[in-house]
Amino acid sequence: MSTTAAVIARLLSGAGIDRVFGLPGGEVLVLIDELRRAGVEFVLMRHEANAGIAAAVYGKLRGQPGVVLSTLGPGAANLMLPLSSAYLDQEPLLAISAQIPEEFPASHTHQRLPLHDVYRPVTKYVATLTAQNVADAVPRALAACMERPYGAAYVTLSAREALKAADNVPPAASVRVPAADRSAASAAAARVLAGKLSRAQRPLIVVGLGIDPANAAPLRAWLDAWNLPVAVTPKVKGIVDETAANFVGVVGGMAADDVVCGALQAADVLVGLGLDPVEVDKTWHAELTIDWVLDAPNVGGAAGIVPEGVVLVDHAAFLEAIGSMPPPAAWNTPFGAFQQQRRFLLRDRSGVGGVMWPGDIVQSLADALPPDTIVTTDVGSHKYLFGQYWPSRHPGTFWMSNGLSGMSYGLSAAIGARLARPDATVLAAVGDGGFSMNAQELESAERVGAPFITVVLEDGSYSLIKLSQEGRALPPYGVDFGAIDIVAMAASCGVEALRTAKPDELASAAAGAAGARRSMVIAVPVDYADYRRMF
């Protein structure tokens, strides 16, 4: 008979899982070896939080759960960041950690934590894997991750249980959960919304995290055919072409947010297509009248977080129905003034020497790199900059932590994205604060064959917090740090690097690295005060 660990590995492999990210520990060595035997690659990272982030991005890009593995105690404790991020940002993630055997006496407190109690509030499924339940629990955990809204599951396995003979192992179950048939409701909702839009002078469609990227093509076809103004929240950048004339901007706390929020307030019909308040750091979603068009509950749906009066529809059927209708009206750039102001803020350069204007960083990279480049960001001022102004054109090509907004996301997400899309150019845009948190993962990327370009915006501070202090008339305290030699740090991980304040040098270096399919770190000095002009 197979051991419990062997069954876990076989079930993961049978469900299409080909990589598990994590760190080893004595309690999970048997499982790691069984993964190897099953043909599932173990991607060694340098911190469990980074491994979980990489796994979640890898899984969502592949349309399946990402899987992260850790030991017990401190390894398991380090999973809070990726599990919380997956919960709030709708990323499918299965976390497996070791745990103290249940038969150990209560007096054995070494490395014992109440892990299920800790992680149950931010996961959709929690279980202890045993020889008796493994054949059922693993498929259930995978399926829970893929239920809309996507999220996390957490299971534990003791070293003793891993070696026990498992009972009656069936073939791996599918991780796909069939959607309810809402065709009639979808068609009815399409007719009602078309009627409202026929009477609108300033309609605005806001596309949010709840939209399935598989619906990008019919969504674009409908918006383009009707020439409807559209905005997006950051986690779905690229679901529409942000270089199109009908694109109004990114809403959800990014740069120029007051401008884009002004467009929301000016709209006479505001449609929230898959809109999820988890991405919104203001209260307009509760204050403005919104026609919610959802096909799954928002994050926290188990707690009833569905806007009042919403009938859940099937987005594919809804888009098919409304896309087959002729445009009910014509709208001639009703938000043109807002669009012009948004573009102006990107070009409103300062005259400070020795640094690069933040807008030039985005523009230079966008001109130098392929339009389908996958961009990941960390959290900080640069996230606001790239979140608003990077011209995303394709679904699944922009990644940030937004519902949680946790630092150290950018480099880890880039590794997951590069492994999931081995032919893509991947750009990680990070700040010097975030870069110093997990720059060591550059070595991980080189070792596992996931090269990407990293641009580090250097301002020697946690500038977003510093600007917040200024806004409250507080002195800058606890936000500035000494210079870090980013070029030397990159070199220590085997990655070529340079520092430049010239847009043409930045563009040339990035294009060269993309063409050669190699890693490159480019440090770019910026003045934190320039962000003040854009936010």
Side-chain angles (χ1 to χ4, degrees):
M1 296 181 69
S2 298
T3 65
T4 306
V7 172
I8 295 170
R10 191 182 313 156
L11 288 168
L12 293 177
S13 177
I17 307 299
D18 64 349
R19 284 187 171 98
V20 169
F21 298 72
L23 270 76
E27 294 78 7
V28 293
L29 291 181
V30 172
L31 178 53
I32 290 175
D33 190 62
E34 291 295 349
L35 291 170
R36 177 187 62 81
R37 292 171 180 270
V40 179
E41 179 185 353
F42 181 71
V43 181
L44 174 64
M45 302 281 285
R46 290 180 170 269
H47 195 282
E48 291 85 359
N50 301 331
I53 291 169
V57 173
Y58 180 82
K60 192 166 186 179
L61 276 171
R62 289 171 55 88
Q64 63 186 37
V67 182
V68 60
L69 175 64
S70 81
T71 188
L72 76 176
N78 283 337
L79 294 174
M80 176 56 85
L81 177 63
L83 285 172
S84 300
S85 181
Y87 166 62
L88 292 178
D89 281 340
Q90 295 194 27
E91 294 175 354
L93 177 65
L94 169 60
I96 306 172
S97 84
Q99 179 57 304
I100 300 296
E102 292 189 343
E103 59 267 31
F104 272 29
S107 60
H108 186 95
T109 54
H110 177 68
Q111 292 191 307
R112 186 192 292 270
L113 293 170
L115 296 169
H116 287 194
D117 294 337
V118 169
Y119 290 138
R120 187 173 285 109
V122 295
T123 57
K124 306 175 76 172
Y125 180 84
V126 171
T128 299
L129 298 182
T130 68
Q132 290 72 42
N133 74 2
V134 63
D136 177 67
V138 172
R140 284 181 179 273
L142 292 169
C145 296
M146 297 304 294
E147 292 173 357
R148 301 285 303 278
Y150 299 142
Y154 175 68
V155 296
T156 54
L157 176 72
S158 74
R160 287 190 177 186
E161 203 69 34
L163 291 169
K164 291 182 180 179
D167 297 333
N168 301 321
V169 182
S174 170
V175 300
R176 294 293 187 182
V177 179
D181 184 5
R182 304 189 186 112
S183 300
S186 302
R191 290 191 295 271
V192 170
L193 183 60
K196 288 188 176 182
L197 291 173
S198 69
R199 300 184 292 274
Q201 294 183 338
R202 297 177 307 281
L204 182 58
I205 312 299
V206 181
V207 184
L209 178 57
I211 191 78
D212 190 329
N215 290 319
L219 170 64
R220 290 182 178 210
W222 169 50
L223 295 174
D224 291 346
W226 288 25
N227 194 31
L228 273 167
V230 60
V232 299
T233 57
K235 290 291 289 187
V236 288
K237 280 175 61 66
I239 197 76
V240 299
D241 184 351
E242 296 179 17
T243 66
N246 63 338
F247 182 69
V248 175
V250 180
V251 63
M254 299 297 101
D257 197 49
D258 288 346
V259 175
V260 184
C261 285
L264 299 180
Q265 294 165 352
D268 55 3
V269 172
L270 192 58
V271 180
L273 186 66
L275 180 63
D276 194 324
V278 75
E279 284 209 79
V280 181
D281 63 351
K282 294 184 173 67
T283 56
W284 55 260
H285 64 279
E287 298 164 354
L288 300 177
T289 299
I290 300 175
D291 288 288
W292 299 84
V293 183
L294 307 179
D295 70 350
N298 294 142
V299 167
I305 303 179
V306 177
E308 185 178 354
V310 169
V311 177
L312 295 179
V313 302
D314 177 77
H315 277 161
F318 170 83
L319 291 169
E320 180 181 5
I322 202 165
S324 66
M325 303 175 187
W331 304 282
N332 185 24
T333 60
F335 301 100
F338 296 98
Q339 292 170 293
Q340 183 178 0
Q341 178 63 15
R342 172 181 173 269
R343 290 190 293 266
F344 170 77
L345 291 176
L346 185 67
R347 301 189 300 266
D348 186 23
R349 295 174 177 82
S350 69
V352 178
V355 297
M356 196 181 303
W357 169 245
D360 289 342
I361 299 174
V362 175
Q363 193 61 59
S364 297
L365 291 168
D367 290 343
L369 297 176
D372 58 352
T373 294
I374 296 176
V375 176
T376 68
T377 77
D378 218 277
V379 171
S381 297
H382 66 280
K383 165 186 157 178
Y384 285 26
L385 171 71
F386 279 81
Q388 183 63 258
Y389 289 113
W390 181 264
S392 299
R393 303 180 191 178
H394 302 280
T397 57
F398 196 94
W399 295 81
M400 68 163 63
S401 175
N402 200 39
L404 180 66
S405 294
M407 293 183 70
S408 79
Y409 183 90
L411 295 182
S412 307
I415 293 175
R418 189 63 168 80
L419 289 174
R421 295 284 187 271
D423 295 329
T425 297
V426 177
L427 166 69
V430 302
D432 47 358
F435 180 79
S436 65
M437 290 183 175
N438 63 350
Q440 68 274 15
E441 297 295 1
L442 291 173
E443 184 279 328
S444 303
E446 292 300 285
R447 173 171 28 85
V448 303
F452 57 89
I453 301 162
T454 304
V455 172
V456 185
L457 285 73
E458 299 180 309
D459 54 27
S461 70
Y462 295 109
S463 57
L464 193 60
I465 309 303
K466 192 172 184 177
L467 290 170
S468 180
Q469 287 176 326
E470 290 184 359
R472 301 179 188 184
L474 297 172
Y477 180 74
V479 291
D480 295 321
F481 45 77
I484 298 170
D485 192 337
I486 288 169
V487 173
M489 290 180 69
S492 72
C493 294
V495 177
E496 182 183 353
L498 63 87
R499 177 176 286 100
T500 182
K502 299 178 180 178
D504 56 341
E505 288 186 354
L506 170 63
S508 177
R517 301 178 61 80
R518 70 175 189 273
S519 291
M520 166 71 75
V521 173
I522 309 169
V524 183
V526 296
D527 181 356
Y528 91 95
D530 282 342
Y531 291 122
R532 191 188 306 123
R533 301 161 65 91
M534 306 179 75
F535 292 171

